[in-house]
Amino acid sequence: MPRPESDSIWVIGVAMTPFRRYSDADAYDLGGRAALAALADAGLTMADVDVLAAGSVNQARPYPAQQIQRRIGQTGIPAYNVLNACATGAAAVRVVYLAIAAGEASIGLAVGCEQMGKKGLLGQAAPVAADRYVPSGKYGAVMNIEGVLGTGLMPGVFAQAGMTYAASNEGVGFEQFAKIAVKNHSHSTLNPLAQYRKEFSLEEIMAAEMISYPNTVLMCCPTGDGGAAAVLVSGERLATMPSEVRRRAVKISASVMTSDPYVADGLVQPDVNTLTRNAADQAYARAGVGPEDLDLVELHDCFATAELLHYDNLRLCEPGGAGEFIDSGAPWRTGRTPVNVSGGLLSKGHPLGATGVANIFEVTTHLRGEAGDRQIADAKVGMAHVIGLGSACAIHILERAAA
Amino acid sequence: MTQAQVKTIPVVDYLCLDGGEPKLTALVCDACGAHYFDHREACASCSSSGPFTRADLPRTGRVGAFTIVHRAANGVRTPFVSAVVYLDDGTAVRANVVNCAPSPEQVHLHMRVRLVTFELGTDSEGTCAIGFGFEPA
């Protein structure tokens, strides 16, 4: 293999715990397990790590990075806690990436972890009725407006986002959204790390309990627990590492983070599209690749409606052609651009903080040719995408070493 | 107590009940024209720190997106139709679609709708909260 460019940054270790519910471990235990496994995968220990970044959403306090250090090794290195909604894990990866790019570290560890338990789909307490109406908050509301002035809960928000796309594009409706869930549940049957591994027919998915039309319960990601970790290294340092580490190294050709630019309706309906498009365009430009070069994509399918939007946002299909894209079978593992061969958030699961590292685990594993039954043959280039409402979008484009 | 004596309060402060037909209002950035329903420190579009002038909004518009919520937070009656309505001046508003069956056969994207108000409840002092929604026009 050619000597890695000294200013390049590589992934040399990845791991994730199975995503499921854990009653015998907390989020930091799961983050620690994943971190140890990722370090072992890289042939390293905590003593080799120059910088640590870690994140969780529900367990953001009392500080995942230090909690994980206490569990697996307190070496006194700089440790950063990150919180960026569902892009938290990807933000941890990017903090490590930036530390290496800045020359302050040559080996870094990024960890995402989460424990959601059976938090429930909506994750919200019951509104408390007030004894007396007093305007409060930024809208001067006299009561909880959830359900009174529309919905701001995730299933409804992403349902509306999908319906906005359906409003302006032909051939997109309930059936197209449901087909995405058929695909991801089917893909998950090949992934031993997935929370659910059960196939469903289109009819079963469409007839399942309606949560927020057009998303039925089988079109919404589950809550769950898990940890995922990645070890990053500078090209300069990688060049000094054993040939086996170099052979399995995966290059980060683009690491991009965006937030919401202003759009007129964005304060009423979260805009998951513009920042994703911006991130995709920047990532393709930086990596010097196009959507046609991608052998697999792990994208943020928190709801089936979301995945359909991102076909268009990530330029995987013709503008406006996301309905036709799923109808054609293109994003199936046997199709032109396999999407969410892990089972995606819909079936692999979505422990919030872990997700943005877990998708880098998935893409890296395929690029190394180590994905077992679900391996995409001869995968050379892959994309990992996450979006957290607020919003934050992270995209990483990864490439196999040219050995 | 006669109707005239009942004290009312809007569910949110951008619903205006001060005489005439109920209407929605927005704060408009003098510098760039961006519309807001919330209180502002500065403009999210152009970063101008104001001033912001309150303006009345049209009472009619179209459904730009909707969902029919079947599983909701505790205490919320289901199913209900949540929508993003684009008023005739382009301002986006989130509200329920009311006076319309909550089914995908009855609610349509691009459907014309108009503002309606209704009572939401009465507090311990007898003040009645007035909510708003949109009904098929």
Side-chain angles (χ1 to χ4, degrees):
Chain A
M1 124 178 206
R3 191 181 171 81
E5 306 102 60
S6 60
D7 62 348
S8 59
I9 297 176
W10 300 70
V11 178
I12 53 169
V14 286
M16 63 179 274
T17 68
F19 283 179
R20 58 178 172 85
R21 296 197 172 91
Y22 291 84
S23 55
D24 57 344
D26 67 16
Y28 317 117
D29 293 333
L30 298 175
R33 282 179 202 175
L36 287 175
L39 286 167
D41 184 42
L44 302 174
T45 69
M46 276 304 277
D48 300 303
V49 175
D50 302 323
V51 64
L52 167 67
S56 166
V57 176
N58 289 290
Q59 287 80 34
R61 296 181 73 184
Y63 312 115
Q66 287 81 356
Q67 290 290 337
I68 289 166
Q69 285 182 304
R70 280 180 208 147
R71 281 159 177 76
I72 66 168
Q74 294 176 244
T75 55
I77 56 171
Y80 298 92
N81 293 285
V82 298
L83 178 54
N84 225 353
C86 297
T88 290
V93 171
R94 197 155 154 68
V95 165
V96 168
Y97 179 95
L98 290 172
I100 294 172
E104 293 214 358
S106 59
I107 296 175
L109 173 63
V111 189
C113 58
E114 197 79 31
Q115 189 155 52
M116 299 170 79
K118 287 188 77 74
K119 195 176 170 63
L121 184 67
L122 303 174
Q124 190 190 286
V128 178
D131 175 55
R132 200 166 67 85
Y133 294 140
V134 180
S136 68
K138 61 181 186 163
Y139 299 114
V142 302
M143 61 179 68
N144 186 329
I145 59 171
E146 173 58 32
V148 174
L149 298 177
T151 184
L153 300 184
M154 292 302 106
V157 164
F158 279 95
Q160 288 182 176
M163 294 300 275
T164 305
Y165 189 85
S168 47
N169 295 287
E170 289 293 311
V172 177
F174 187 16
E175 189 171 316
Q176 280 64 45
F177 295 126
K179 282 179 178 174
I180 287 166
V182 175
K183 170 180 72 72
N184 292 355
H185 286 292
S186 171
H187 284 171
S188 75
T189 61
L190 298 174
N191 186 358
L193 300 169
Q195 187 168 349
Y196 295 101
R197 301 179 68 188
K198 190 174 173 199
E199 215 152 3
F200 295 94
S201 68
L202 181 64
E203 294 69 30
E204 286 172 311
I205 284 169
M206 294 178 79
E209 181 194 350
M210 184 60 72
I211 301 297
S212 205
Y213 179 87
N215 287 324
T216 67
V217 70
L218 295 173
M219 297 160 73
C220 301
C221 66
T223 57
D225 313 335
V231 180
L232 273 57
V233 64
S234 68
E236 193 176 5
R237 183 67 177 272
L238 179 61
T240 69
M241 290 183 157
S243 62
E244 183 59 9
V245 174
R246 289 160 55 193
R247 185 187 65 74
R248 295 174 69 242
V250 163
K251 186 179 175 185
I252 301 180
S253 300
S255 171
V256 173
M257 172 79 72
T258 57
S259 63
D260 283 331
Y262 174 86
V263 295
D265 54 2
L267 300 175
V268 171
Q269 164 73 17
D271 171 22
V272 299
N273 302 315
T274 312
L275 82 167
T276 299
R277 289 171 172 264
N278 290 350
D281 291 347
Q282 288 176 37
Y284 288 130
R286 241 170 254 183
V289 303
E292 67 283 356
D293 298 314
L294 300 176
D295 296 306
L296 76 157
V297 175
E298 288 287 304
L299 63 75
H300 203 74
D301 60 324
C302 47
F303 296 89
T305 44
E307 177 163 324
L308 187 123
L309 301 177
H310 296 316
Y311 294 154
D312 206 323
N313 293 332
L314 299 175
R315 323 289 185 194
L316 305 182
C317 63
E318 294 297 311
E324 189 195 344
F325 189 71
I326 183 67
D327 283 341
S328 76
W332 280 78
R333 51 176 292 110
T334 49
R336 176 161 55 93
T337 310
V339 175
N340 288 331
V341 296
S342 66
L345 281 54
L346 288 181
S347 199
K348 178 181 69 178
H350 182 27
L352 309 180
T355 290
V357 190
N359 63 9
I360 287 172
F361 164 88
E362 183 69 15
V363 173
T364 298
T365 302
H366 284 271
L367 298 181
R368 287 168 155 184
E370 298 172 359
D373 290 346
R374 68 186 189 285
Q375 176 69 40
I376 295 298
D378 200 32
K380 293 186 180 69
V381 186
M383 173 188 276
H385 158 265
V386 282
I387 181 172
L389 281 198
S391 302
C393 175
I395 291 182
H396 287 88
I397 294 179
L398 305 175
E399 290 187 67
R400 187 166 82 186
Chain B
M1 194 185 273
T2 66
Q3 189 64 32
Q5 289 169 311
V6 175
K7 237 173 65 179
T8 61
I9 188 167
V11 63
V12 285
D13 60 13
Y14 56 90
L15 171 64
C16 175
L17 303 172
D18 303 341
E21 282 193 305
K23 56 187 178 282
L24 300 178
T25 66
L27 286 172
V28 180
C29 174
D30 282 8
C32 77
H35 284 46
Y36 297 101
F37 291 119
D38 58 349
H39 307 155
R40 302 307 304 175
E41 302 295 327
C43 180
S45 175
C46 73
S47 297
S48 155
S49 53
F52 296 87
T53 306
R54 195 161 283 279
D56 294 346
L57 299 177
R59 293 169 48 83
T60 54
R62 288 181 187 278
V63 171
F66 73 89
T67 181
I68 302 164
V69 178
H70 290 261
R71 199 195 284 187
N74 290 341
V76 174
R77 193 181 303 168
T78 57
F80 69 91
V81 181
S82 166
V84 177
V85 171
Y86 291 87
L87 301 176
D88 292 340
D89 69 349
T91 305
V93 187
R94 201 182 79 195
N96 290 357
V97 175
V98 298
N99 301 330
C100 175
S103 87
E105 287 72 42
Q106 296 303 312
V107 189
H108 301 285
L109 294 165
H110 308 302
M111 182 170 87
R112 291 286 303 169
V113 290
R114 65 176 163 245
L115 183 75
V116 287
T117 55
F118 38 80
E119 295 182 5
L120 290 171
T122 304
D123 72 6
S124 59
E125 297 182 352
T127 302
C128 180
I130 304 296
F132 71 89
F134 289 87
E135 66 177 9

